[in-house]
Amino acid sequence: MRICLVGNDSESAANVKKAMDEYFAEFAVKYEVDAMDPGALISPQLWLDCAYDLAVFDLSDEPSRIQLLEYSVEVRRLCRKTKVIFISDELNSVLDTFDYDPDYFIHKPQVDERFPIAMEHLLKLDVNKGSNGLVLSTKQAKHIVPQRSILYIEHYQHKSKVVCEDKEITCSEKLSSLLERLDGTAFVRCHCSFIANLNHVRKFTRTQLHMCNGDVLPCSRSSQQIVREALESGGRFKA
């Protein structure tokens, strides 16, 4: 994950970096942070080349505020994946951001408290969409799992086991909640206790799904038509 701090003075940058370190300590994900001065903004095209996932714009300096707001619009026009957090020590400056479509605003004295909330919000907006990834929380850590690597999810003993190509992760989230955050064109609830990634189905019978790793999932009577139609409409194969 690539992050850019724009317009942050040394103290502000240190506080934001500390909040990031504490937040990402729980994640099995690598990240790097760059800093950019308002007087040395790179061209939007170079920003696109850098492919930043997140930008934190400090709007505390009123003379440069409009410049940074307009710059944030231009870089996001070219690099749509960039999420933007505006921070400021002036709470009233949030009014200036309304026309610039921020993903999140943080009052600077609340960075420690609000940054984790902002990241949870942005990760759910970004990582849990489409075929990108799924954020899973366990007692040990938080994991970002590529959805394409998930074979199926099984609910048992009040927990959900996410079976991937290279590992298994057990979390306490309900199947219904997980299904809401998965790609609806690939994932189907084939049984009250199972969600299957249809891209990993190798054989489909009236009552079973045979997965690419050799596991066999049950397919309930109420789900048979939904599974069959999803497999056929996706062009995977005809049952």
Side-chain angles (χ1 to χ4, degrees):
M1 188 172 189
R2 298 204 67 188
I3 301 169
C4 188
L5 306 182
V6 186
N8 293 255
D9 58 37
S10 57
E11 181 180 355
S12 173
N15 289 337
V16 173
K17 182 65 165 56
K18 178 175 176 289
M20 289 180 179
D21 290 340
E22 292 177 353
Y23 178 77
F24 283 108
E26 300 182 19
F27 278 84
V29 62
K30 293 181 180 180
Y31 70 101
E32 54 185 279
V33 180
D34 295 334
M36 195 179 301
D37 187 87
L41 299 176
I42 63 175
S43 71
Q45 185 60 48
L46 287 177
W47 183 286
L48 179 62
D49 295 338
C50 292
Y52 289 115
D53 299 286
L54 173 67
V56 181
F57 284 81
D58 189 339
L59 306 179
S60 300
D61 180 46
E62 187 172 357
S64 65
R65 185 176 301 158
I66 297 301
Q67 176 197 12
L68 292 180
L69 287 169
E70 292 178 349
Y71 181 74
S72 74
V73 171
E74 186 62 20
V75 296
R76 281 194 292 176
R77 184 180 67 81
L78 289 177
C79 190
R80 294 185 179 276
K81 80 169 189 172
T82 301
K83 299 298 180 183
V84 170
I85 296 176
F86 292 140
I87 68 171
S88 177
D89 55 13
E90 295 183 18
L91 191 55
N92 288 339
S93 63
V94 69
L95 300 176
D96 296 328
T97 71
F98 285 165
D99 294 331
Y100 296 89
D101 195 25
D103 293 301
Y104 212 87
F105 178 90
I106 299 177
H107 189 208
K108 194 180 290 186
Q110 297 180 308
V111 164
D112 289 344
E113 173 188 350
R114 303 299 298 180
F115 185 79
I117 299 173
M119 289 306 297
E120 289 290 341
H121 174 71
L122 296 182
L123 284 170
K124 287 180 179 179
L125 284 179
D126 185 24
V127 176
N128 288 319
K129 279 185 179 180
S131 60
N132 291 327
L134 181 70
V135 178
L136 298 171
S137 298
T138 67
K139 290 183 178 180
Q140 293 74 30
K142 291 183 179 180
H143 305 265
I144 300 178
V145 181
Q147 291 194 25
R148 63 181 179 274
S149 73
I150 300 173
L151 277 62
Y152 64 90
I153 305 175
E154 177 184 3
H155 182 73
Y156 75 106
Q157 296 181 352
H158 306 292
K159 295 184 180 295
S160 293
K161 179 175 68 173
V162 182
V163 179
C164 305
E165 293 173 318
D166 58 347
K167 60 186 174 183
E168 295 183 2
I169 299 172
T170 300
C171 64
S172 58
E173 197 163 351
K174 295 180 180 179
L175 281 187
S176 57
S177 176
L178 291 171
L179 186 59
E180 290 177 354
R181 298 194 280 120
L182 291 166
D183 179 3
T185 65
F187 290 86
V188 172
R189 191 161 186 171
C190 60
H191 184 274
C192 63
S193 298
F194 288 89
I195 295 173
N197 184 345
L198 301 183
N199 291 320
H200 292 289
V201 174
R202 294 299 173 260
K203 181 181 178 183
F204 171 54
T205 69
R206 189 170 58 85
T207 59
Q208 294 179 329
L209 293 175
H210 295 251
M211 309 304 293
C212 62
N213 67 341
D215 290 351
V216 179
L217 311 186
C219 184
S220 63
R221 180 178 299 177
S222 60
S223 301
Q224 289 171 8
Q225 183 174 350
I226 295 174
V227 172
R228 181 186 298 274
E229 290 177 353
L231 285 168
E232 294 183 357
S233 64
R236 296 172 178 90
F237 56 82
K238 288 188 177 295

